[in-house]
Amino acid sequence: MRNYYLTIVLAPLAAAIITGLFGKQIGRAGAHWLTNLAVGLSCLLSIAVFKHLFFDGGTAENISVYTWAVTDGLRMEVGFLVDRLTALMMVVVTFVSLMVHIYTIGYMHDDSGYQRFFSYISLFTFSMLMLVMSNNFLQLFFGWEAVGLVSYLLIGFWFKRESAIFANLKAFLVNRVGDFGFILGIAGVVMISGTLDYATVFASAESIATQNIEVIPGSPWNAMTVICILLFIGAMGKSAQAPLHVWLPDSMEGPTPISALIHAATMVTAGIFMVARMSPLFEFSETALAVVIVIGAITAFFMGLIGIVQNDIKRVIAYSTLSQLGYMTVALGASAYSAAMFHLMTHAFFKALLFLAAGSVIIALHHEQDIRKMGGLRKYMPITYWTALVGSLALIGFPGSSGFFSKDLLIEAIRNSHWHSEPWVYWIAYLSVLLGVFVTALYTFRLFFLVFHGEERMDAETRSHIHESPWVVTVPLILLAIPAAVIGWFTVQDVLFDDYFGDSIVVRSSHDVLAHIGESFHGSLALVLHSVQTPVFWLAAAGAFTAWFLYLKRPDIPATIRNKVSGLYTLLDRKYYMDDLYIKGFAAGGRSVGSFLWQKGDELLIDGLLVNGTANTVSRLAGVMRQLQTGYLYTYAFSMIIGLTMLLSWLLWFK
């Protein structure tokens, strides 16, 4: 299997290098054929690995590939830990990436940076595979930073646009904040355990939990809590959890295929995967789990509210991603790691589907993204319409869809979690994910109805050219719509209740809420039939009905509501003023401090007083001394007599 693993990660890397360096030589067709075949090969081999581990009962493998350095007993290696958690991520990453690669052929057809884009997205796939397949913290950090670097390149792909450059710089800087905490967490692991190897660190988790760290002298903190919170700060940056979420909506400045890849299968899922992988550590810190669940709850509800007032088709879906990542994070904080990973998997399919459907609409409308200038596209774009409907139903958790199984059971896990003993944590988490169901359905079907139903609001010229997208766009939509619709039926039992993850995920018995829920689970069909009795179903239905009533039946009402609650609308439209805080507060404040230090410290103190001041003092002293050099002998004789007199007077005085 070692060669399988190497081929899976190296095939996209080789394609990226060849396409990036020799793009002109191989041409546009060569670029997309090479990268598609490479990622397709990785996908097939990932499916083979999944089959080996799950269907054939194969055992997990932890292998070292290359030792980079050994210093003071600390081994820095490249290696693979391939267990069922890894296999699931490998399939999701490579399958969604393959769909995006195929889709890109149509979407980027006329772009001058065609080969460069294929090189970047293939490199993105390699980076994410290195991250999820790592067996040590060093390789994890390499993959972590590599996906950050490639996202920077892709968000700013259209580098002649000032907004794109601003967006990729914003993503880069915000993620550096999270990564600072992440690398400190890794440093804490090395300081306490003396190793970077997952298996060794996890085996010593109980010992780490009994030790203290004095970050502030005289104030001992539990080592495990410090390490886990620092690692989670890294996850907050990568998985865009409040308050480090501000970069993700702006990532829409990149081409639509990369929006799908970032939001569905690569960068933003890295944080969720990392916390699930670190479950042996997080299970020993209640404080860290409390931080995780509260941050996730805030993100799930409040980011969803912003989606209601967005008018850019991609930004509505982007805020949906923020909210759904919040759901996954809440599940992690409730120790329902399997539920978080299950929702990550289903979300990857239906969110990639929604982004690619949005891209299909954008192509048809000549890159118009304002949903207020759309409408009535159902009759022009039937394939895009029906696949977008499948994705929308999965997103709101319509009974029977993939999102239904993952989201409903995730919410049920939170309702029955061990946080009942801490009511304030419990109610923040549970109410956020419950109310978020209504919000999700409202913004999802607001988008769907405004784009595909109602009156046609585009101009006559645009309307005359609307048609369904080519097959390279619609085929990935169909292939993603299939798992978005049905995959929950076949996987919910195994992933959540039949211990699919095994030793990949560790949960303390007092936290194992899924085992409790599994006792009352009687199959997928029974769960679907039971769903109409739950508040989740009725909240989703209420959200969808509200969207229909406000945007199709009575489209005059939203403007009235906006005027009545203008303060709340402004708050949501300005995104809780978080961008203002960072840009006009921290960034502008930093520039002001820098300007002050430059003017007062550098120019006035260093240059003016120390450097130029010293030079001026020497110059003035030299000018005075120059006056004493007259060139006349009697002047020098007189000076010598005066000096000798003063010296004799001093000697006689102190004798």
Side-chain angles (χ1 to χ4, degrees):
M1 298 297 289
R2 177 192 177 105
N3 291 334
Y4 270 51
Y5 306 148
L6 287 171
T7 304
I8 288 169
V9 296
L10 293 180
L13 176 62
I17 292 172
I18 295 171
T19 305
L21 296 180
F22 306 104
K24 290 184 179 180
Q25 287 80 1
I26 64 176
R28 296 165 73 90
H32 68 238
W33 274 109
L34 179 61
T35 52
N36 274 269
L37 288 173
V39 174
L41 177 61
S42 293
C43 183
L44 288 175
L45 293 179
S46 295
I47 293 172
V49 170
F50 178 84
K51 173 181 177 296
H52 170 71
L53 290 174
F54 180 60
F55 292 103
D56 300 340
T59 57
E61 291 191 78
N62 186 357
I63 61 175
S64 176
V65 176
Y66 173 72
T67 300
W68 179 54
V70 179
T71 174
D72 293 331
L74 181 65
R75 299 183 66 86
M76 301 181 186
E77 298 179 328
V78 176
F80 299 132
L81 171 59
V82 182
D83 53 18
R84 290 186 176 187
L85 174 60
T86 306
L88 177 67
M89 288 297 297
M90 289 164 62
V91 172
V92 169
V93 169
T94 55
F95 178 75
V96 174
S97 180
L98 178 60
M99 296 301 102
V100 171
H101 274 70
I102 297 171
Y103 178 93
T104 298
I105 299 172
Y107 191 88
M108 301 293 287
H109 182 265
D110 299 321
D111 198 283
S112 59
Y114 191 80
Q115 293 97 315
R116 178 165 57 94
F117 190 81
F118 273 101
S119 176
Y120 286 172
I121 59 176
S122 191
L123 185 61
F124 210 172
T125 305
F126 157 75
S127 302
M128 190 64 186
L129 286 170
M130 285 294 284
L131 188 156
V132 301
M133 294 174 69
S134 62
N135 71 346
N136 63 84
F137 286 92
L138 177 67
Q139 187 174 326
L140 173 69
F141 188 71
F142 166 79
W144 195 267
E145 293 303 305
V147 294
L149 170 63
V150 183
S151 69
Y152 171 82
L153 296 173
L154 284 164
I155 294 169
F157 180 79
W158 286 319
F159 54 84
K160 293 183 179 179
R161 296 183 183 179
E162 190 173 330
S163 58
I165 297 302
F166 178 82
N168 74 349
L169 181 61
K170 186 177 183 181
F172 187 83
L173 292 176
V174 172
N175 272 277
R176 296 293 71 71
V177 176
D179 292 353
F180 180 67
F182 188 61
I183 197 169
L184 287 178
I186 294 175
V189 168
V190 174
M191 181 181 72
I192 299 296
S193 66
T195 181
L196 290 163
D197 180 66
Y198 285 167
T200 307
V201 173
F202 296 162
S204 59
E206 191 170 356
S207 173
I208 296 173
T210 62
Q211 300 184 52
N212 291 328
I213 296 177
E214 289 194 8
V215 179
I216 300 173
S219 299
W221 295 351
N222 180 263
M224 187 64 81
T225 296
V226 172
I227 289 170
C228 289
I229 290 177
L230 288 171
L231 292 175
F232 179 65
I233 290 173
M236 288 170 62
K238 277 291 179 288
S239 293
Q241 296 298 289
L244 300 181
H245 65 281
V246 293
W247 68 271
L248 191 59
D250 284 15
S251 69
M252 298 301 97
E253 291 295 333
T256 298
I258 194 52
S259 299
L261 200 54
I262 288 177
H263 286 244
T266 54
M267 186 163 168
V268 298
T269 62
I272 306 300
F273 165 79
M274 185 273 292
V275 175
R277 173 62 80 196
M278 299 300 147
S279 61
L281 305 183
F282 277 84
E283 283 299 285
F284 282 97
S285 176
E286 288 288 311
T287 303
L289 289 175
V291 171
V292 172
I293 197 170
V294 171
I295 293 293
I298 292 170
T299 306
F301 180 68
F302 289 100
M303 296 304 109
L305 288 176
I306 299 179
I308 297 173
V309 302
Q310 295 297 304
N311 295 310
D312 184 298
I313 186 171
K314 288 168 64 177
R315 285 182 180 266
V316 176
I317 305 173
Y319 279 101
S320 163
T321 300
L322 285 173
S323 181
Q324 296 307 303
L325 289 168
Y327 273 85
M328 299 174 209
T329 304
V330 172
L332 294 172
S335 294
Y337 304 99
S338 298
M341 293 304 301
F342 186 41
H343 195 51
L344 184 153
M345 177 189 71
T346 62
H347 176 265
F349 297 125
F350 64 71
K351 186 53 60 68
L353 171 60
L354 287 172
F355 266 115
L356 298 188
S360 179
V361 170
I362 292 169
I363 294 171
L365 298 181
H366 303 289
H367 295 279
E368 176 60 64
Q369 295 185 199
D370 192 333
I371 59 178
R372 294 170 296 185
K373 298 179 182 179
M374 300 180 186
L377 293 180
R378 175 184 179 182
K379 64 181 180 182
Y380 299 103
M381 308 179 72
I383 297 176
T384 302
Y385 171 80
W386 287 108
T387 53
L389 178 59
V390 170
S392 299
L393 292 174
L395 176 56
I396 71 168
F398 184 80
S401 67
S402 62
F404 160 76
F405 291 104
S406 60
K407 183 187 283 187
D408 273 42
L409 289 170
L410 184 153
I411 294 172
E412 186 68 11
I414 294 162
R415 187 175 74 87
N416 291 279
S417 70
H418 68 279
W419 286 111
H420 276 285
S421 58
E422 295 286 349
W424 70 274
V425 174
Y426 173 79
W427 286 110
I428 287 175
Y430 183 57
L431 289 178
S432 293
V433 296
L434 197 61
L435 295 175
V437 172
F438 174 84
V439 174
T440 301
L442 177 57
Y443 66 64
T444 300
F445 275 91
R446 170 180 177 264
L447 172 69
F448 185 78
F449 290 141
L450 287 177
V451 172
F452 293 105
H453 289 271
E455 62 176 316
E456 299 172 4
R457 296 178 296 279
M458 68 289 292
D459 58 66
E461 175 66 20
T462 301
R463 186 184 301 112
S464 66
H465 292 92
I466 298 175
H467 58 82
E468 185 59 272
S469 299
W471 70 267
V472 289
V473 172
T474 55
V475 167
L477 293 179
I478 295 169
L479 293 178
L480 285 167
I482 294 170
V486 304
I487 198 169
W489 289 89
F490 306 108
T491 55
V492 60
Q493 177 75 46
D494 294 314
V495 175
L496 292 188
F497 305 121
D498 284 353
D499 196 29
Y500 163 80
F501 291 107
D503 295 335
S504 304
I505 289 175
V506 175
V507 183
R508 295 166 66 182
S509 58
S510 59
H511 292 179
D512 196 359
V513 62
L514 292 175
H516 169 71
I517 297 174
E519 295 172 358
S520 58
F521 179 76
H522 302 294
S524 301
L525 181 60
L527 182 64
V528 171
L529 296 175
H530 175 71
S531 66
V532 296
Q533 303 176 32
T534 66
V536 175
F537 171 81
W538 292 107
L539 283 168
F545 175 79
T546 303
W548 170 81
F549 183 77
L550 292 179
Y551 297 100
L552 288 184
K553 188 71 173 176
R554 291 290 306 277
D556 57 302
I557 293 180
T560 303
I561 296 174
R562 185 165 60 247
N563 293 331
K564 293 284 187 181
V565 291
S566 58
L568 177 60
Y569 176 84
T570 301
L571 180 67
L572 296 177
D573 188 50
R574 297 298 296 272
K575 308 159 195 172
Y576 308 115
Y577 296 94
M578 293 299 292
D579 281 339
D580 292 329
L581 173 63
Y582 291 141
I583 297 169
K584 298 179 181 178
F586 295 148
R591 288 196 301 270
S592 297
V593 170
S595 178
F596 174 81
L597 293 175
W598 162 56
Q599 292 177 351
K600 305 301 182 183
D602 190 30
E603 287 193 333
L604 180 62
L605 178 61
I606 297 175
D607 286 343
L609 183 59
L610 297 179
V611 178
N612 295 332
T614 302
N616 291 335
T617 300
V618 172
S619 177
R620 292 191 186 96
L621 182 60
V624 173
M625 296 298 294
R626 188 165 55 248
Q627 299 303 319
L628 299 177
Q629 303 296 324
T630 64
Y632 294 108
L633 184 60
Y634 65 82
T635 302
Y636 300 143
F638 179 74
S639 298
M640 292 173 64
I641 292 170
I642 294 298
L644 183 59
T645 302
M646 292 174 64
L647 178 60
L648 290 172
S649 299
W650 182 78
L651 291 172
L652 292 171
W653 181 268
F654 289 101
K655 184 177 179 182

